[in-house]
Amino acid sequence: MTTTTASRTPPRKETNGPTPEQVRRGRRTAFLLFALGFGPMILATIMYYTGWLNPAGHTNQGVLITPPASVTALNLETLSGEPLAKRFSAGQTDPQWLMVVAASECDSRCEELLYLARQANIALGKNADRVSRAAVLGDITDDLTARLPTEYPLMERLVPTAGAAPTWPAGINPEREPRIMLIDPFGNVMMHHGPRTRVRTYSRI
């Protein structure tokens, strides 16, 4: 009697989850959906509150940067030494917009921008956590140094990267005038805005 040995097909290798490429693609998709969904709302709130692109024609109205500049060129890092550009990679799970106040000397105009950045953030309400704030400040008074932790506790401090000078986008010169820059979740510096023509008296919140 002849015995026939049945050929056996090797078991199919089962995958335990998505491939690294699928994970990266999913993150990029989520990142894009976030920017498309929250971007216009965040931009509208900040533009309304700070006066960006105000059609009244004031000399202090905000300016769109075309094409947008890369955050990498700013050569900024946190006080702990982390490059600012690192937080804008496509793999971030909680992408945020960022408002950066830049001033070589933080006088009354600079502090007005610190205040406006905070108020624009507050005006976002439940979406306030979608926008963070930071400041690149040169000389500041002892009074402001003492008040920063209590009046601007969420204002992160940034400094130029060691051995590299910041390359500011066209129209931004913190040595001459303080500015607010708006950086989108992709690391594009999209807008900048200066102090108002008349420095107004404001109450502290």
Side-chain angles (χ1 to χ4, degrees), residues 3 5 8-9 21 30 32 40 45 57 80 92 107 112 114 116 137 150 154 157 167 174 187 191 204:
T3 303
T5 303
R8 295 183 179 179
T9 304
E21 177 58 31
L32 181 60
T45 301
S80 62
Q92 295 295 320
D107 53 17
E112 181 190 7
L114 293 175
L116 286 175
L137 306 177
T150 54
L154 301 181
R157 294 292 299 275
T167 301
M191 292 179 165
R204 307 209 179 271

Side-chain angles (χ1 to χ4, degrees), residues 45 120-129:
T45 301
N121 205 186
I122 292 173
L124 289 169
K126 65 180 181 179
N127 294 302
D129 61 347

Side-chain angles (χ1 to χ4, degrees), residues 1-204:
M1 182 174 181
T2 304
T3 303
T4 304
T5 303
S7 61
R8 295 183 179 179
T9 304
R12 181 177 299 177
K13 196 173 187 179
E14 295 184 359
T15 57
N16 295 325
T19 65
E21 177 58 31
Q22 289 173 326
V23 171
R24 288 192 293 270
R25 189 181 302 116
R27 285 177 177 175
R28 287 195 296 267
T29 301
F31 201 53
L32 181 60
L33 290 175
F34 167 85
L36 292 176
F38 288 98
M41 177 185 59
I42 291 171
L43 277 172
T45 301
I46 294 173
M47 289 167 64
Y48 172 80
Y49 203 87
T50 63
W52 258 311
L53 303 182
N54 189 322
H58 300 302
T59 58
N60 64 319
Q61 67 184 68
V63 180
L64 280 170
I65 299 174
T66 307
S70 171
V71 68
T72 304
L74 297 182
N75 291 323
L76 297 174
E77 64 183 20
T78 65
L79 295 180
S80 62
E82 180 188 24
L84 177 62
K86 184 178 179 181
R87 67 183 60 177
F88 293 97
S89 64
Q92 295 295 320
T93 56
D94 187 24
Q96 291 183 320
W97 294 73
L98 177 65
M99 289 184 287
V100 178
V101 177
S104 61
E105 180 181 356
C106 199
D107 53 17
S108 59
R109 299 175 304 164
C110 164
E111 190 167 353
E112 181 190 7
L113 296 184
L114 293 175
Y115 173 82
L116 286 175
R118 184 184 66 182
Q119 296 307 100
N121 205 186
I122 292 173
L124 289 169
K126 65 180 181 179
N127 294 302
D129 61 347
R130 301 295 184 183
V131 181
S132 56
R133 291 170 281 147
V136 187
L137 306 177
D139 296 331
I140 62 176
T141 64
D142 292 338
D143 174 63
L144 179 57
T145 300
R147 290 189 285 106
L148 276 174
T150 54
E151 295 186 14
Y152 304 100
L154 301 181
M155 183 69 72
E156 182 181 18
R157 294 292 299 275
L158 300 173
V159 294
T161 301
T167 301
W168 305 108
I172 299 177
N173 184 355
E175 295 282 342
R176 185 181 61 195
E177 181 185 52
R179 307 294 290 183
I180 295 179
M181 295 177 289
L182 181 63
I183 304 174
D184 73 10
F186 297 96
N188 299 308
V189 187
M190 298 183 60
M191 292 179 165
H192 63 94
H193 184 277
R196 299 179 185 275
T197 303
R198 297 179 180 178
V199 177
R200 58 194 176 97
T201 304
Y202 45 81
S203 59
R204 307 209 179 271

